Amino acid sequence: MAHEGQHPQHTRLPRVSRRSLLGGAAAAAGAATLTATGSGTASAATRQADVAIVGAGLAGLTAARDLVAAGKSVVVLEARDRVGGRVVGLDLANGGVPEGGGEFIGPTQDRIRALADSLGVGTFPTYNTGDNLLYKDGKKTPYATDGILGAVPPIDAAGLANAAIVQATLDDLAKQIPVDAPWTAEKADEWDRQTFETWLRANAVVPSAKFLFDVACTSIFSAEPRELSFLFVLFYIAAAGNSSNPGTLERLTETANGAQELRFVGGSQLVPVKLAATLGDRVVLSAPVRTIARSGGGYVVTADGVTVTAKKVVVAVPPPIAARITYDPVLPASRDQLTQRLPMASVGKAIAIYDTPFWRADGLNGQVVSDTGVISSTFDNSPPDASYGALMGFIEADEARKLDAVSEAEVRAAVLKDYTTYFGAKAASPTSFVLQRWNNEAHTRGGPVSIAAPGVLTQYGPALRAPVGGIHWAGTETSTYWMGFMDGAVRSGERVAKEVLAVL
């Protein structure tokens, strides 16, 4: 789910992709970039379109694609100097591009897969050969991912039994959640009055079982159980599927047959980069939107360096970022109050680069579950040809917030200490190190998703997707399936395009 701050008015539209984002071969083949051409530059004072779209992440770009395919004119305004939103590749000196944000896809994530296929972006399996590691109570335990317990860490028997009951209960309760309106569930009020922490304390009564669900929570939401409404958690589980396959907790947490099953060849940002290239100068970068004002029968959208007059507007950025735009007239209280109560979770990704993925020779797949340190879960982020090794760790929730204000060198030292604990002395000396701290990103301020505390969904949920006049809402937070994932972003873009076409 990087840019550095906001950008002043400019006279040139920066490229939508860098050579290294596409990899050497793709770049050599002449991958498309956005360049300044006529009205495509942000220095052009005014542009006109049927629809102005705020945000060039997967949601905004997908909406633009569908609207253009239907014969409508669009202008996409993006605050950053790149496309992709919470999907970004981090350039390495060796030409590699590990993912700094949204990365994985898996079963039932049909729409991101279809989009990638249409753009010629391939996938490869997340490295999952060999043992996982459990680091708990100062002890490191390798365990198989394909044994009788699947990928469940080998905690004590009582904890495993309790965890199995809790997991089955969560899946069963999630089946009672209407994904298009979780606030209408029969027990919505009851579930929305408590945090996930409260529910876990009453149900995950064996400490080792509670540990598993605490780690699962921070891994899925980048938030602590105390921060989340239990209704929100059940909705998130319900949303981890599609119309033919009910969501399950297992699908959220697993690598094989789960949401972490596949990665994109060339990095996930290649999908929005290629999608934006099909839109050409309809996409305007380095143009943060400041105001959206009603004017006659349409809207005037004012961004740094460019003003767009449009019949309709799609806002496809996270709710708390959308709330920072000035609206005239002001938004209804229900919508504004909702965005006040949907903060971003807290996440960073730390990736250490090595000459080789040395842990593979030790029979390890690079995946860790830990009860200590700043990194509680890791993945092998190496490219499909293993031309170099990459260990990626998530810095999440409380741990992310502790590190928000410290230097990158301090974060690096803390991360490498954890990697050395998990993988041995070789992990202490990477050839390079890249860090993405989403909490400090000016146009995101957290990730991977907005989260709901108790009382939010039942009181304000109906305002999540409801248009306000000619202003329509997109973004992964508005998706009924796979909220918080790249697939949810694509689904929201497809949904909002249909919604807008119906009223144009």
Side-chain angles (χ1 to χ4, degrees):
M1 266 208 170
H3 61 286
E4 296 296 337
Q6 297 175 349
H7 299 265
Q9 294 187 12
H10 58 285
T11 58
R12 184 179 66 85
L13 182 62
R15 294 180 300 160
V16 72
S17 62
R18 296 182 293 272
R19 177 198 60 78
S20 56
L21 274 179
L22 303 179
T33 60
L34 292 184
T35 55
T37 55
S39 62
T41 64
S43 59
T46 303
R47 294 178 64 171
Q48 294 181 333
D50 292 320
V51 184
I53 298 175
V54 182
L58 284 168
L61 293 173
T62 298
R65 173 202 65 181
D66 290 358
L67 289 165
V68 169
K72 304 303 179 182
S73 58
V74 305
V75 175
V76 183
L77 299 169
E78 169 55 48
R80 298 173 173 86
D81 62 357
R82 63 167 180 83
V83 300
R86 284 168 271 181
V87 179
V88 64
L90 304 178
D91 297 339
L92 299 177
N94 66 9
V97 192
E99 296 89 346
E103 175 174 352
F104 304 106
I105 68 168
T108 75
Q109 295 190 3
D110 313 308
R111 303 317 304 155
I112 180 65
R113 184 61 180 266
L115 174 60
D117 287 348
S118 74
L119 296 167
V121 181
T123 61
F124 67 100
T126 301
Y127 191 79
N128 200 39
T129 301
D131 289 341
N132 281 24
L133 284 177
L134 171 66
Y135 188 82
K136 189 174 186 298
D137 300 325
K139 180 183 178 183
K140 187 164 56 177
T141 306
Y143 65 98
T145 61
D146 56 358
I148 190 171
L149 298 175
V152 177
I155 58 173
D156 58 278
L160 286 173
N162 186 201
I165 293 171
V166 171
Q167 181 168 286
T169 302
L170 288 169
D171 285 347
D172 286 344
L173 294 179
K175 290 183 176 69
Q176 302 177 38
I177 303 293
V179 292
D180 58 342
W183 46 88
T184 65
E186 183 178 352
K187 295 186 178 180
D189 286 340
E190 174 187 335
W191 293 334
D192 207 29
R193 284 198 298 267
Q194 59 186 306
T195 63
F196 189 33
E197 173 72 17
T198 302
W199 188 88
L200 283 175
R201 287 188 178 185
N203 291 273
V205 293
V206 179
S208 56
K210 178 64 163 53
F211 155 74
L212 289 184
F213 288 99
D214 286 347
V215 172
C217 181
T218 55
S219 297
I220 294 167
F221 299 99
S222 298
E224 304 293 339
R226 68 174 184 274
E227 299 180 82
L228 305 172
S229 157
F230 185 48
L231 176 63
F232 177 73
V233 170
L234 292 178
F235 160 65
Y236 214 83
I237 295 171
N242 58 20
S243 57
S244 303
N245 300 275
T248 66
L249 181 61
E250 298 94 316
R251 197 175 292 124
L252 279 171
T253 59
E254 295 287 340
T255 299
N257 300 312
Q260 287 68 233
E261 184 172 61
L262 299 171
R263 296 171 60 202
F264 287 111
V265 178
S268 53
Q269 196 186 1
L270 194 53
V271 178
V273 163
K274 285 197 167 189
L275 180 54
T278 70
L279 296 167
D281 65 4
R282 298 179 183 90
V283 180
V284 182
L285 303 179
S286 299
V289 169
R290 305 303 182 183
T291 62
I292 299 174
R294 190 70 185 252
S295 178
Y299 290 85
V300 176
V301 181
T302 305
D304 286 5
V306 58
T307 298
V308 180
T309 60
K311 298 173 185 176
K312 304 293 179 184
V313 180
V314 169
V315 178
V317 297
I321 302 303
R324 297 178 184 185
I325 299 170
T326 298
Y327 299 85
D328 182 14
V330 296
L331 296 176
S334 59
R335 171 70 194 184
D336 191 74
Q337 291 275 312
L338 171 73
T339 57
Q340 291 182 43
R341 289 165 170 81
L342 286 179
M344 301 299 287
S346 300
V347 69
K349 292 179 81 172
I351 306 169
I353 307 301
Y354 305 90
D355 289 333
T356 64
F358 62 85
W359 50 92
R360 297 183 183 181
D362 297 330
L364 301 175
N365 62 17
Q367 296 174 44
V368 172
V369 174
S370 176
D371 68 348
T372 191
V374 301
I375 300 287
S376 60
S377 63
T378 67
F379 282 88
D380 182 329
N381 248 42
S382 309
D385 62 1
S387 55
Y388 62 88
L391 277 176
M392 182 273 286
F394 287 104
I395 310 171
E396 299 180 292
D398 285 351
E399 294 301 330
R401 290 185 280 268
K402 290 176 186 176
L403 298 177
D404 281 343
V406 309
S407 69
E408 182 167 331
E410 290 174 277
V411 177
R412 183 183 190 273
V415 169
L416 293 182
K417 179 181 178 182
D418 288 346
Y419 288 176
T420 303
T421 296
Y422 305 148
F423 297 105
K426 291 180 181 178
S429 303
T431 58
S432 60
F433 182 90
V434 286
L435 178 66
Q436 179 74 18
R437 290 195 275 187
W438 287 102
N439 293 12
N440 296 340
E441 289 294 321
H443 300 294
T444 311
R445 303 318 304 262
V449 67
S450 294
I451 56 175
V456 175
L457 287 181
T458 48
Q459 291 300 306
Y460 306 99
L464 188 59
R465 285 183 297 275
V468 176
I471 303 173
H472 300 255
W473 313 103
T476 191
E477 283 83 3
T478 70
S479 186
T480 53
Y481 287 108
W482 289 109
M483 175 190 177
F485 290 76
M486 291 184 287
D487 188 72
V490 174
R491 288 175 188 270
S492 78
E494 294 174 337
R495 184 264 307 160
V496 83
K498 293 176 183 176
E499 191 178 283
V500 171
L501 286 171
V503 294
L504 271 176

